[in-house]
């Protein structure tokens, strides 16, 4: 597990190649099933970062079929939002929400999936709940701003985009500062 945490830190803050090498090493070892599935979940993120979206999704689906935990729901929920039909994404992210209503990333994934099916009422409700918790990642504020913009609330959208810019961006952040700044400039 320590090696897996190291691989995740390399992925988040450093070098994808080092992370992949470590995960491949771990998966080649005789390890307990829970660690194997955790390693596969990290491997799915690596595949995603390398641009192999379908393989990332297939890897996470393998994990999902055999091992469920909050991290799996967070990762696969995002992949569903970008790789599946919006209806499938909503269904999966509602399941994730039932599994762990308190995880900020799960709330963000759910809100984003509602936004993708143009159910702004549900998306607003989820994001209002999430923003009260003051999440520490920029996607929450950015995605909430998109919902607010679709509702015509430019003032609050601008506030959320400015808040997103104050958050830390790293190798696993799914948006860039430029994405946020460009949206802000469009306003």
């Amino acid at each position: 597990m320590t090696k897996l945490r190291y691989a995740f830190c390399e992925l988040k803050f450093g070098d994808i190649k080092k992370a992949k090498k470590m995960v491949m090493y771990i998966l080649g070892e005789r390890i307990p099933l829970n660690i194997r599935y955790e390693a596969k979940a990290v491997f799915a993120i690596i595949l995603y970062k390398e641009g192999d979206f379908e393989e990332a999704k297939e890897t996470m689906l393998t994990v999902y079929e055999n091992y469920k935990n909050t991290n799996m729901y967070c990762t696969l929920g995002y992949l569903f939002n970008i790789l599946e039909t919006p209806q499938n994404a909503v269904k999966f992210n509602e399941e994730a929400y039932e599994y762990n209503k308190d995880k900020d990333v799960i709330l963000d994934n759910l809100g984003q999936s509602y936004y993708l099916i143009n159910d702004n009422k549900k998306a607003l409700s989820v994001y209002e709940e999430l923003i009260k918790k003051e999440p520490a990642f920029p996607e929450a504020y950015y995605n909430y701003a998109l919902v607010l913009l679709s509702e015509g609330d430019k003032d609050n959208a601008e506030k959320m985009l400015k808040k997103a810019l104050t958050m830390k961006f790293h190798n696993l952040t799914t948006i860039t500062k430029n994405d946020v700044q460009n949206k802000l400039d469009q306003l």
Side-chain angles (χ1 to χ4, degrees):
M1 207 51 171
T2 301
K3 291 176 184 174
L4 184 57
R5 287 189 178 108
Y6 168 76
F8 185 81
C9 286
E10 281 293 346
L11 178 60
K12 186 172 182 178
F13 300 112
D15 187 335
I16 292 175
K17 288 181 182 180
K18 282 183 183 178
K20 186 174 185 177
K21 183 177 178 182
M22 181 58 73
V23 169
M24 296 303 289
Y25 171 78
I26 293 166
L27 289 172
E29 294 291 303
R30 191 162 184 242
I31 53 177
L33 277 178
N34 66 319
I35 295 174
R36 178 164 304 284
Y37 288 120
E38 292 278 348
K40 283 183 178 235
V42 172
F43 188 62
I45 299 169
I46 291 168
L47 291 168
Y48 165 76
K49 293 303 283 183
E50 291 180 334
D52 194 347
F53 303 131
E54 283 303 315
E55 188 64 27
K57 186 175 93 171
E58 290 304 314
T59 300
M60 280 307 303
L61 287 174
T62 300
V63 174
Y64 173 68
E65 291 168 3
N66 297 285
Y67 180 76
K68 292 178 178 57
N69 70 5
T70 298
N71 289 336
M72 181 279 307
Y73 276 113
C74 291
T75 302
L76 192 53
Y78 176 72
L79 292 176
F80 263 74
N81 281 346
I82 61 171
L83 299 174
E84 274 289 339
T85 66
Q87 293 76 16
N88 285 347
V90 166
K91 182 179 175 187
F92 181 84
N93 286 308
E94 286 176 340
E95 178 183 325
Y97 181 77
E98 287 303 313
Y99 185 84
N100 186 345
K101 294 171 173 47
D102 297 322
K103 185 69 174 176
D104 292 352
V105 173
I106 287 175
L107 288 167
D108 183 43
N109 288 341
L110 180 60
Q112 185 182 37
S113 66
Y114 286 140
Y115 170 74
L116 293 172
I117 63 166
N118 298 312
D119 191 339
N120 288 344
K121 184 177 179 181
K122 285 185 179 178
L124 283 170
S125 175
V126 170
Y127 279 112
E128 287 166 2
E129 177 184 347
L130 175 58
I131 297 304
K132 286 178 190 174
K133 297 172 68 177
E134 299 181 8
F137 55 96
E139 294 94 334
Y141 302 96
Y142 179 80
N143 291 333
Y144 185 33
L146 295 179
V147 176
L148 291 167
L149 281 173
S150 69
E151 289 290 296
D153 188 350
K154 289 183 179 182
D155 291 338
N156 283 319
E158 181 179 359
K159 289 176 188 173
M160 290 299 109
L161 290 169
K162 287 179 178 177
K163 179 71 174 177
L165 288 172
T166 68
M167 298 289 112
K168 290 184 180 180
F169 289 75
H170 52 71
N171 200 31
L172 292 179
T173 306
T174 60
I175 56 172
T176 66
K177 279 192 173 192
N178 283 341
D179 295 331
V180 179
Q181 188 61 57
N182 288 340
K183 188 59 75 175
L184 193 56
D185 292 344
Q186 287 175 6
L187 290 179

